[in-house]
């Protein structure tokens, strides 16, 4: 069995979808899935499903929903406990718990094996099918866990982009981080990574423009300055743009040989021999006793 709460509620058993009908029945399963493997008190379930509204017989109403859920999933899956009920499944049966563990493993792998970290984080992000706890939207109990899962999703995106940067996949990182920052314009970690990605992709002007955008947004909307991490990303681009450009490798290979202060007479046979050997071999080594003129001869041949 697999239970999905990263999006609309989804239950798959033996490869077949299990239809869970009714808003409160779906809400009951979502609430139990959040604490898969642990007991949830009857009071907590009643509060989650009816939001503190007084019912004529709250316990009977809850038991009626529990009975319906047992008929769908089995009484061994929805187990009674002292004062409550438990969804008796391993935590990795629920996609939210599996997602959290994959993100943890992916972040542990960063730096040690960025390619493996990227694969693990991608597997985690592919579990999302829509907003977390979509069937409990508006329920008070769902606000905090939904926000935590969403923040962890953004962290996973940032961690995958960091792996892309280390792997030299600059354009992929720019694309993903641009979308993230557009949706979350005040998220400084994503903005700092986007600045780094733009600079690494050879777009320093866009990187500096991105810094100015978030600096102004933070000042206007929150009245705060950029974090040290964001300022450091900005300074890194400034330092790089201030440095003279490194010559292209081909230009470095065309550096002139040392100038000679005296004329060079004779040795024509040796120079001809060196030229013949260079035409046939990549490396020619001149040997001889000290002071024989090996350096001057090689310079003239060069």
């Amino acid at each position: 069995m697999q239970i999905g709460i990263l999006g609309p509620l989804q239950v798959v058993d033996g490869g077949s979808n299990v239809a869970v009908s009714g808003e409160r029945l779906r809400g009951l399963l979502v609430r139990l899935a959040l604490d898969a493997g642990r007991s949830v008190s009857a009071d907590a379930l009643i509060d989650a499903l009816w939001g503190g509204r007084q019912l004529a017989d709250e316990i009977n109403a809850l038991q009626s929903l529990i009975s319906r859920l047992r008929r769908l999933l089995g009484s061994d899956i929805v187990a009674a406990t002292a004062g409550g009920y438990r969804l008796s499944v391993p935590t990795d049966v629920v996609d939210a718990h599996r997602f959290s563990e994959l993100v943890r493993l992916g972040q542990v792998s960063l730096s040690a094996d960025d390619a493996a970290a990227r694969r693990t984080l991608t597997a985690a992000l592919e579990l999302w099918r829509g907003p977390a706890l979509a069937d409990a939207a508006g329920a008070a109990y769902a606000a905090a866990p939904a926000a935590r899962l969403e923040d962890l999703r953004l962290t996973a995106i940032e961690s995958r982009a960091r792996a892309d940067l280390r792997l030299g996949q600059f354009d992929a990182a720019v694309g993903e981080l641009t979308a993230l920052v557009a949706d979350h314009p005040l998220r400084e970690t994503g903005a700092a990574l986007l600045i780094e990605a733009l600079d690494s992709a050879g777009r320093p002007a866009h990187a500096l423009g991105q810094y100015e955008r978030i600096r102004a947004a933070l000042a206007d909307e929150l009245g705060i300055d950029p974090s040290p991490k964001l300022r450091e990303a900005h300074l890194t681009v400034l330092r790089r743009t201030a440095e003279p450009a490194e010559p292209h490798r081909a230009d470095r290979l065309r550096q002139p040989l040392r100038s000679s202060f005296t004329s060079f007479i004779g040795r024509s046979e040796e120079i001809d021999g060196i030229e013949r050997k260079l035409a046939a071999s990549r490396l020619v080594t001149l040997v001889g006793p000290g002071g024989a003129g090996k350096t001057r001869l090689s310079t003239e041949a060069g």
Side-chain angles (χ1 to χ4, degrees):
M1 179 177 290
Q2 297 293 322
I3 298 172
I5 58 176
L6 295 177
L9 178 65
Q10 182 182 68
V11 179
V12 179
D13 190 10
S16 301
N17 288 322
V18 177
V20 183
S21 304
E23 179 181 345
R24 286 208 171 85
L25 189 62
R26 294 170 73 84
L28 172 62
L29 181 51
V30 169
R31 180 63 187 87
L32 289 170
L34 277 175
D35 285 296
R38 297 194 298 267
S39 177
V40 182
S41 71
D43 287 342
L45 291 172
I46 289 168
D47 186 60
L49 296 172
W50 287 281
R53 282 177 287 174
Q54 296 296 317
L55 301 178
D57 195 340
E58 296 169 335
I59 294 298
N60 279 341
L62 175 61
Q63 288 176 343
S64 175
L65 285 174
I66 291 290
S67 296
R68 289 174 58 194
L69 191 59
R70 281 175 166 169
R71 285 195 293 273
L72 281 174
L73 307 183
S75 56
D76 56 331
I77 298 293
V78 185
T81 63
Y85 298 91
R86 178 180 67 243
L87 193 65
S88 294
V89 295
T91 54
D92 63 0
V93 164
V94 180
D95 60 359
H97 300 297
R98 193 159 68 254
F99 166 74
S100 298
E101 178 62 11
L102 285 171
V103 174
R104 186 190 68 79
L105 293 173
Q107 291 181 313
V108 168
S109 299
L110 279 174
S111 297
D113 189 342
D114 290 314
R118 192 188 192 286
R119 290 193 295 271
T120 302
L121 292 164
T122 297
L125 290 165
E126 286 176 348
L127 293 172
W128 284 72
R129 297 168 292 104
L133 313 184
D135 286 85
Y141 79 88
R148 180 187 64 80
L149 287 166
E150 173 62 12
D151 187 67
L152 191 58
R153 184 183 73 86
L154 299 179
T155 297
I157 292 173
E158 291 165 347
S159 297
R160 183 169 67 177
R162 188 174 284 110
D164 280 335
L165 287 173
R166 291 172 179 163
L167 293 167
Q169 305 295 325
F170 304 133
D171 290 338
V174 167
E176 189 156 53
L177 291 167
T178 297
L180 184 148
V181 170
D183 291 337
H184 304 273
L186 299 178
R187 192 173 175 89
E188 292 187 78
T189 301
L193 283 169
L194 178 55
I195 290 169
E196 181 183 349
L198 287 166
D199 185 42
S200 299
R203 299 162 60 185
H206 288 84
L208 295 173
Q210 183 62 226
Y211 174 79
E212 288 303 318
R213 182 206 62 76
I214 190 169
R215 183 197 61 76
L218 289 169
D220 293 344
E221 297 189 34
L222 301 179
I224 61 174
D225 294 325
S227 66
K229 181 183 291 186
L230 194 54
R231 292 199 300 271
E232 181 59 32
H234 178 233
L235 286 173
T236 299
V237 181
L238 289 177
R239 293 189 194 104
R240 200 188 312 278
T241 55
E243 294 173 356
E246 183 181 357
H248 189 274
R249 182 174 183 274
D251 296 331
R252 294 200 302 272
L253 294 176
R254 286 196 290 267
Q255 296 300 321
L257 296 167
R258 290 187 300 173
S259 300
S260 299
F261 295 103
T262 59
S263 60
F264 187 74
I265 300 173
R267 300 286 185 100
S268 58
E269 290 185 10
E270 288 89 340
I271 288 179
D272 289 343
I274 290 171
E275 290 179 351
R276 287 194 300 273
K277 289 180 181 301
L278 283 172
S281 305
R282 193 159 168 256
L283 174 67
V284 174
T285 304
L286 304 186
V287 297
K294 300 184 295 297
T295 301
R296 182 64 186 274
L297 177 59
S298 63
T299 301
E300 291 296 329

